[in-house]
Amino acid sequence: MIEAEGPIGIDRYMALCLGHPVHGYYMSRDPFGAAGDFTTAPEISQVFGELIGVWCVNAWVTLGSPAQFAIVELGPGRGTLMADLLRAAKAAPEFLAAAQVHLIEMSPVLRAAQKAKLGEGVTWHETVATLPAVPCLIIANEFFDALPIRQFEMRGGKTYERAVGLHDGKLKVGLAPTDKNFETEGVFEMSSVSLAIGEDLGRQINSLGGAALVIDYGHFYSAAGDTLQAVKAHNFCDVLETPGEADITAHVDFEALGKSFNAKLLPMLTQGQFLKAMGLEMRSEKLSAKLGGPERDAFLAASARLIDADQMGDLFKVLCVVQKDGNATYPFGAT
Ligand code: SAH
C-alpha cells in the first residue's frame, strides 16, 4: 500500500496493524497470557474485576438504582473482567436484575472468547454509536491505549507529521509536511479516534445518566513525548518490525481524553490508589486464606503486582466521568 500510494500517517499504520480485517493483530488471535504477547490486570487477578463489580454496584446506587441500565465494556478481551464483575455483583441481585450487558469489540476471535465465557445474554456492538437509550456504567480497561494516534514533531522551529514510508525496501519513519504548529521542540501525540469516542460516551452519560471508568497506562496531564510502543512475546520490539504481529499501543493522554467527554470529571487516581480504596488488600487476604503455601504466595504476588508503585500501581491511572450535574462515585473525590 505504501509502495503504491506513498507514506501513511502513524494513525493509519497503527489502525491497519491492529485492525486490518485479515492481517490485523487483534483480528486473528487471542494475544493474552503466558503463551501470548502480554497480560492485563483482569488476567493477572480475579480481584481486579471483582472490585470493579463492587464499584459498579455502588455507582448504580449513586445513580438512584435505575430499574433498567447497561453495563458497557469497551474492548473486553477474553471477557474475564466482565465475568468477575458479574460474579461479584451476585451479592446485589437487584443490580443484576436491572442490568443488560453491552460489549464493544471489533475482533471476531475475541468476540468468540467473550461469548464462551459470558454466554448468550450479551449484546455486541462495533462502535459506541449503537448503545441503548438507558443509563450506562461504562468500563474500559486497556482499551484507549490501542486506539490510533498521530505523531507530530517540532524540530528547528518547524512542525512536521511523522509518517511511515519505505527506504531501501524497508519501512521507515519520516517527516511529512503539516498545517499544525507546535510551540516547543518535541514529539506531540493526538488520538482523534479516542476523543471522538469520549465525546460520544459523554453525550450518552449527560443525556441518560451514568458513569465511565477508564483504566489505562498514561499521564494525568498532556505533555510532549513519544510513547508509541510495540510488544511481542512479553518483550518490547520495533513498531515497524513485524506489522500485524505485535501489539502496538500509545500511552493515554488523560487530560485530553477527559476533556473530550464534556461531562463532570472526578479527581483522578492511580490504579494503586483506586484498588486500595476499593479494598484490594482485604479481599486478597480473605481469598488467599483458603489456599496452601505456594498458591497463596502466588495469589498475593498477583494482587501486589496490580498496586505496587514500581509495577502497575502508578503507571496505570483511573479516570471517572459522571454526568454534568451528577454525584461523585466512591472512591473518587472521597476525603
Ligand atoms: N480489556 C481487556 C483487553 C484489552 S486489549 C483486558 O483488560 O484484558 C484491547 C481490547 O480492545 C481487545 O479486546 C481489542 O480487540 C479491542 N479493541 C481494540 N481496538 C478496538 C476498536 N477500535 N474497536 C473495538 N474494539 C477494539
Side-chain angles (χ1 to χ4, degrees), residues 238-312:
D238 191 309
V239 289
L240 301 180
E241 214 167 90
T242 47
E245 287 168 25
D247 185 35
I248 302 186
T249 63
H251 284 208
V252 173
D253 176 348
F254 277 102
E255 184 178 354
L257 180 63
K259 278 185 191 149
S260 73
F261 280 75
N262 189 26
K264 182 165 166 181
L265 306 180
L266 303 178
M268 283 189 65
L269 298 172
T270 63
Q271 175 167 300
Q273 289 170 326
F274 171 73
L275 292 175
K276 279 189 211 167
M278 293 307 299
L280 176 125
E281 287 144 318
M282 211 165 46
R283 176 77 183 145
S284 305
E285 277 300 326
K286 193 170 172 204
L287 286 175
S288 65
K290 298 175 199 151
L291 302 172
E295 271 188 309
R296 180 168 193 273
D297 292 347
F299 192 92
L300 291 175
S303 287
R305 185 170 168 194
L306 300 180
I307 54 171
D308 281 356
D310 55 357
Q311 301 206 49
M312 296 173 79

Side-chain angles (χ1 to χ4, degrees), residues 53 56-57 60 66-69 71 82-101:
C56 283
V57 172
W60 174 71
Q68 257 205 328
F69 78 101
I71 308 174
M82 186 56 74
D84 293 338
L85 180 165
L86 294 172
R87 191 182 59 252
K90 280 189 184 157
E94 324 75 38
F95 168 91
L96 281 183
Q100 333 159 354
V101 176

Side-chain angles (χ1 to χ4, degrees), residues 65-278:
S65 311
Q68 257 205 328
F69 78 101
I71 308 174
V72 178
E73 189 179 357
L74 310 183
R78 285 180 172 167
T80 308
L81 188 162
M82 186 56 74
D84 293 338
L85 180 165
L86 294 172
R87 191 182 59 252
K90 280 189 184 157
E94 324 75 38
F95 168 91
L96 281 183
Q100 333 159 354
V101 176
H102 291 263
L103 306 177
I104 318 286
E105 177 58 66
M106 68 171 180
S107 159
V109 179
L110 293 175
R111 276 190 185 202
Q114 291 152 21
K115 190 169 189 174
K117 192 160 272 176
L118 301 168
E120 295 290 334
V122 166
T123 309
W124 279 270
H125 303 257
E126 288 290 327
T127 74
V128 296
T130 49
L131 288 177
V134 291
C136 287
L137 294 176
I138 299 160
I139 314 293
N141 184 62
E142 289 207 39
F143 170 75
F144 283 98
D145 65 62
L147 298 184
I149 58 155
R150 293 169 76 183
Q151 285 191 324
F152 298 92
E153 191 171 330
M154 148 69 143
R155 194 194 268 187
K158 199 164 163 24
T159 305
Y160 305 88
E161 177 160 6
R162 284 188 174 176
V164 180
L166 277 172
H167 183 75
D168 291 339
K170 282 188 139 181
L171 294 176
K172 190 165 193 290
V173 173
L175 298 178
T178 178
D179 295 341
K180 295 230 186 302
N181 269 311
F182 287 88
E183 281 168 11
T184 50
E185 301 257 324
V187 174
F188 300 86
E189 299 180 337
M190 267 179 41
S191 175
S192 35
V193 178
S194 298
L195 304 187
I197 293 176
E199 209 178 297
D200 281 350
L201 296 177
R203 203 176 308 114
Q204 172 95 12
I205 291 175
N206 280 333
S207 61
L208 296 149
L213 192 70
V214 178
I215 306 167
D216 224 310
Y217 40 89
H219 30 282
F220 287 135
Y221 301 106
S222 302
D226 176 358
T227 74
L228 193 68
Q229 64 182 46
V231 167
K232 200 176 164 186
H234 300 270
N235 286 306
F236 288 109
C237 64
D238 191 309
V239 289
L240 301 180
E241 214 167 90
T242 47
E245 287 168 25
D247 185 35
I248 302 186
T249 63
H251 284 208
V252 173
D253 176 348
F254 277 102
E255 184 178 354
L257 180 63
K259 278 185 191 149
S260 73
F261 280 75
N262 189 26
K264 182 165 166 181
L265 306 180
L266 303 178
M268 283 189 65
L269 298 172
T270 63
Q271 175 167 300
Q273 289 170 326
F274 171 73
L275 292 175
K276 279 189 211 167
M278 293 307 299

